[in-house]
């Protein structure tokens, strides 16, 4: 998990059991959602409208050539196959167009006071130990994966923690942002200098 950013870990905690041993890029499929025409249509990497138009065009071309049929019995097989393939493709495209977009997982409903306390503890760990991987923080705090992911996402979004890829190990590490200690005074100095150059 140290090789995954916290955003990807966050989406995986929305499905129970999806966090453990899930390869990068793989999607957790809920039970009963991996079969049927709709599931197969979702796996086709083409949008519904182009798929429906392409299928209709192939079916109409097959019908037009079947009406002329310059190939005899061979033409019946080829042009009939074009009509069948085009019709099936058009139906799949229409099914994709008519299906509503799947809802996003609900936002975490953790109490803000709990998130604040968790954030304080994570900041204490990062402040004493320096940059740490997800697993190292998890081992020190002994929390659940979901609790740590929610806390790291909140800290990252607020700018208190920086998520960075360690190029030597290929792992994602988290460190305390230096804005509080170094960045803010420097920003004020630069802002004063900018205003001074504008007056000059």
């Amino acid at each position: 998990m140290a090789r995954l950013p916290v955003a990807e870990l966050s989406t995986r905690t929305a499905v129970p059991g999806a966090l453990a041993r899930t390869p990068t890029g793989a999607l957790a499929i809920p039970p009963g959602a991996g079969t049927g025409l709709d599931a197969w249509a979702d796996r086709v990497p083409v949008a519904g409208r182009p798929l429906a138009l392409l299928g209709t065009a192939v079916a109409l071309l097959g019908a037009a050539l079947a009406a002329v049929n310059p190939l005899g019995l061979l033409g019946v097989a080829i042009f009939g196959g074009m009509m069948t393939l085009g019709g099936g493709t058009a139906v799949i495209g229409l099914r994709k167009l008519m299906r509503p977009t799947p809802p996003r997982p609900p936002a975490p409903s953790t109490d803000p006071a709990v998130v604040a306390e968790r954030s304080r503890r994570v900041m204490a760990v990062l402040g004493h130990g320096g940059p740490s991987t997800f697993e190292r923080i998890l081992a020190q705090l002994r929390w659940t994966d979901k609790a740590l992911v929610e806390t790291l996402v909140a800290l990252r979004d607020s700018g208190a923690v920086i998520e960075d890829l360690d190029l030597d190990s290929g792992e994602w590490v988290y460190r305390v942002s230096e804005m509080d200690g170094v960045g803010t005074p420097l920003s004020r100095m630069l802002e004063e200098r900018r205003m001074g150059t504008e007056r000059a």
Side-chain angles (χ1 to χ4, degrees):
M1 285 188 289
R3 298 182 184 275
L4 302 176
V6 73
E8 189 169 348
L9 292 174
S10 177
T11 57
R12 292 177 184 202
T13 54
V15 180
L19 186 62
R21 307 290 187 267
T22 307
T24 302
L27 295 176
I29 300 175
T35 59
L37 181 61
D38 289 337
W40 190 85
D42 288 340
R43 290 193 293 268
V44 176
V46 180
R49 185 179 303 275
L51 205 59
L53 292 175
L54 176 66
T56 304
V58 170
L60 290 176
L61 179 63
L65 291 174
V68 178
N69 196 3
L71 302 177
L73 186 60
L74 181 63
V76 171
I78 292 174
F79 305 138
M82 287 177 67
M83 287 188 288
T84 304
L85 178 66
T89 304
V91 167
I92 291 173
L94 290 173
R95 290 291 289 266
K96 287 186 80 167
L97 276 175
M98 292 169 30
R99 286 189 68 195
T101 56
R104 293 187 176 184
S109 57
T110 308
D111 185 10
V114 174
V115 174
E117 177 59 23
R118 288 178 180 170
S119 300
R120 185 189 67 76
R121 294 183 186 186
V122 170
M123 293 294 284
V125 169
L126 292 177
H128 290 83
S132 297
T133 63
F134 182 87
E135 285 78 10
R136 202 175 310 157
I137 301 170
L138 194 65
Q140 289 184 0
L141 295 174
R142 298 180 182 177
W143 290 353
T144 63
D145 293 339
K146 182 179 178 183
L148 182 56
V149 167
E150 286 179 2
T151 308
L152 284 175
V153 167
L155 288 170
R156 186 204 58 188
D157 292 346
S158 68
V161 166
I162 295 175
E163 181 182 48
D164 195 16
L165 181 63
D166 185 352
L167 298 179
D168 294 331
S169 64
E171 295 180 337
W172 289 91
V173 294
Y174 303 91
R175 59 185 168 85
V176 177
S177 173
E178 298 175 357
M179 290 300 292
D180 292 336
V182 179
T184 305
L186 182 62
S187 299
R188 287 177 183 164
M189 289 171 53
L190 289 175
E191 183 65 21
E192 291 172 4
R193 291 180 183 180
R194 186 182 67 81
M195 292 179 68
T197 55
E198 287 177 356
R199 290 173 187 164

